[in-house]
Amino acid sequence: MGAVYRARDLHFPKMVKLVAVKEMINQAREPQVRRTIVQNFEREANVLATLHHPAIPRIFDYFTQAERSYLVMEFVTGKNLEQILNEAEGPISENQVIQWAIELCDVLGYLHNHEPEPIIFRDIKPSNIMVNQYNQIVLVDFGIAKPFQTGQRGTQVGTEGYSPPEQYRGDASQLADLYALGATMHHLLTNRDPRMEAPFSFADRPARQLNPSVSQELEAVLGRALQYNPEDRYNSAAEMKDAILTVAQRTGILTRAMTATKSVLESSTIKALWTFECEDEIRGSVLYHDGAVYVGCYDNNVYKINAANGEFVWKYATEGGVVSKPAHHEQNIYFGSEDFRLHCVSARSGRVVWTYYTDGPVRSSPRIAEGHAFIGSDDGYLHAINTLAARRTW
């Protein structure tokens, strides 16, 4: 139906910002079919726009030109599991598969509990699972993902070998994704492509029969995930994750991983470049901008510190503790304080530009957009303040 391109976002001429551009070519002749195809493509964009998870690429834009539709997304550096499996020329280790499976359970749990409607991915398979440069899982290609509505039949879509029986009938629920995850794990552990086998035949070729190094405990997890009847599988991604974690504990994988991590930490020579001591606790997050660190403290001050050497630049005093993470906008720094105020100060000099009063401590962090500072207060209100006039808009 199309292709995915690596592209450069020219909105940022002074830096190289790479994006992925997914192209869909619409060659349908019937007008109604053409409209439906475009609507389905836009549905993918709208689904992605509502999702915020580290294992799901962010969407930046989508548009249609003539018979081609485009989706502009976060570019993921790495390889998909199908490429990794092909390069390995043999099964993937149980340790590695368990790590990936736990991450996949997490992202599936996020999708299945999405509000206002759960989302079913419907196409879990190695080629749709990326591993980025940090060896973290990223789920790609939401082309046939859909909101789940109880009792509603859908289109008969999916990938042969990975999709469960009910998906062939257009009756997929969240449990269909768990079956496909089990099929993906089986493929990785055995290097046996389910697309080349009879459908739903995993019981006839257990993982340990094809790869004796697979533990009995993990084979039991696969057996339940790959049950023909949905009601015989795990009830949720969280339940399947717990089962996989139990396998990791029983086989010693988890213990070995923790021991290795402890060894790395104990032998680490990482040291702080600098420390900066305030007069009270720092409970808020720091802002880094243009070579400087801005941080609030319970000594009622906000500090600007040189990020390279930790040297003091300036401090601005409020009349209350500061736990708000500062925000930068047009050479000014914005932050809330327990003195009931939102403060705007010059990033260069640390001098006050204006303050805005609420009727309660301001412990949240401001966001700046559309010429306004948005801040929550313990007075029970969200305030929108015009950054130029320093007045409340609503």
Side-chain angles (χ1 to χ4, degrees):
M1 292 174 62
V4 178
Y5 300 94
R6 181 175 64 176
R8 180 179 174 184
D9 188 344
L10 296 180
H11 287 104
F12 301 87
K14 294 183 180 180
M15 62 176 290
V16 177
K17 180 182 178 182
L18 297 178
V19 294
V21 180
K22 180 178 179 179
E23 176 190 58
M24 186 273 293
I25 303 173
N26 191 346
Q27 296 179 326
R29 297 181 179 180
E30 294 292 330
Q32 182 58 45
V33 176
R34 291 177 64 86
R35 284 193 294 269
T36 300
I37 291 174
V38 172
Q39 289 171 359
N40 289 342
F41 193 83
E42 292 177 348
R43 181 186 66 190
E44 177 181 3
N46 291 323
V47 166
L48 281 168
T50 66
L51 305 178
H52 304 281
H53 191 281
I56 300 174
R58 290 171 296 166
I59 180 172
F60 301 127
D61 197 6
Y62 73 92
F63 54 92
T64 298
Q65 291 184 345
E67 77 279 4
R68 297 170 187 256
S69 295
Y70 297 90
L71 194 60
V72 185
M73 299 178 293
E74 177 184 1
F75 180 79
V76 180
T77 302
K79 299 178 181 179
N80 65 45
L81 293 185
E82 187 170 67
Q83 292 172 308
I84 292 173
L85 190 58
N86 289 337
E87 291 175 4
E89 297 182 348
I92 305 297
S93 72
E94 180 169 323
N95 292 17
Q96 183 61 83
V97 172
I98 283 179
Q99 178 188 326
W100 290 337
I102 290 171
E103 292 183 42
L104 285 165
C105 284
D106 282 335
V107 67
L108 287 177
Y110 169 79
L111 292 172
H112 296 168
N113 292 287
H114 182 260
E115 296 290 345
E117 293 177 309
I119 292 173
I120 317 169
F121 190 77
R122 297 200 296 180
D123 205 17
I124 295 288
K125 58 183 178 181
S127 61
N128 282 344
I129 302 167
M130 294 281 292
V131 177
N132 65 19
Q133 67 265 47
Y134 308 111
N135 198 34
Q136 296 169 328
I137 288 296
V138 181
L139 204 55
V140 298
D141 198 348
F142 280 69
I144 63 173
K146 69 181 288 287
F148 173 70
Q149 295 177 337
T150 304
Q152 184 185 70
R153 297 184 74 86
T155 311
Q156 299 170 348
V157 293
T159 300
E160 185 178 356
Y162 300 99
S163 299
E166 68 271 18
Q167 196 163 334
Y168 285 73
R169 301 189 294 267
D171 192 26
S173 69
Q174 292 94 324
L175 303 186
D177 283 343
L178 303 187
Y179 180 98
L181 173 55
T184 296
M185 293 173 64
H186 188 283
H187 188 181
L188 296 173
L189 291 164
T190 64
N191 197 27
R192 189 79 163 259
D193 193 332
R195 293 169 294 187
M196 303 294 108
E197 307 290 339
F200 327 126
S201 61
F202 290 102
D204 299 330
R205 41 193 171 90
R208 280 173 56 81
Q209 180 179 304
L210 302 173
N211 180 6
S213 66
V214 176
S215 67
Q216 293 180 346
E217 291 84 355
L218 189 57
E219 185 179 65
V221 170
L222 296 180
R224 182 170 175 184
L226 292 167
Q227 287 294 310
Y228 188 91
N229 297 314
E231 58 271 19
D232 295 330
R233 300 173 202 149
Y234 292 103
N235 295 319
S236 66
E239 186 181 6
M240 186 169 175
K241 176 185 174 181
D242 287 342
I244 296 171
L245 284 171
T246 299
V247 171
Q249 290 172 331
R250 289 179 179 174
T251 59
I253 292 173
L254 199 59
T255 302
R256 290 195 297 273
M258 292 174 66
T259 302
T261 301
K262 182 180 179 182
S263 176
V264 170
L265 291 174
E266 288 176 347
S267 63
S268 174
T269 57
I270 297 174
K271 296 181 180 180
L273 292 175
W274 52 261
T275 59
F276 181 88
E277 187 173 353
C278 303
E279 297 174 13
D280 208 330
E281 297 176 352
I282 295 176
R283 296 185 181 177
S285 300
V286 303
L287 165 71
Y288 172 82
H289 179 77
D290 197 21
V293 169
Y294 301 86
V295 64
C297 179
Y298 254 104
D299 62 11
N300 298 1
N301 292 305
V302 168
Y303 294 86
K304 179 179 180 179
I305 307 162
N306 186 307
N309 53 29
E311 291 182 355
F312 170 83
V313 181
W314 55 250
K315 71 177 180 179
Y316 171 85
T318 73
E319 296 177 12
V322 181
V323 294
S324 169
K325 177 181 178 180
H328 180 273
H329 178 66
E330 294 185 349
Q331 306 307 312
N332 292 326
I333 300 296
Y334 299 78
F335 52 88
S337 169
E338 292 183 344
D339 64 7
F340 292 31
R341 286 177 280 180
L342 173 68
H343 297 259
C344 174
V345 303
S346 166
R348 183 179 62 83
S349 65
R351 294 177 180 173
V352 63
V353 178
W354 53 258
T355 58
Y356 169 85
Y357 283 82
T358 72
D359 291 323
V362 180
R363 298 186 175 99
S364 65
S365 301
R367 293 295 297 270
I368 315 296
E370 305 294 335
H372 287 77
F374 298 87
I375 193 78
S377 168
D378 281 10
D379 64 9
Y381 288 92
L382 173 67
H383 299 256
I385 305 103
N386 186 293
T387 56
L388 294 178
R391 294 178 181 175
R392 182 179 69 207
T393 301
W394 50 262

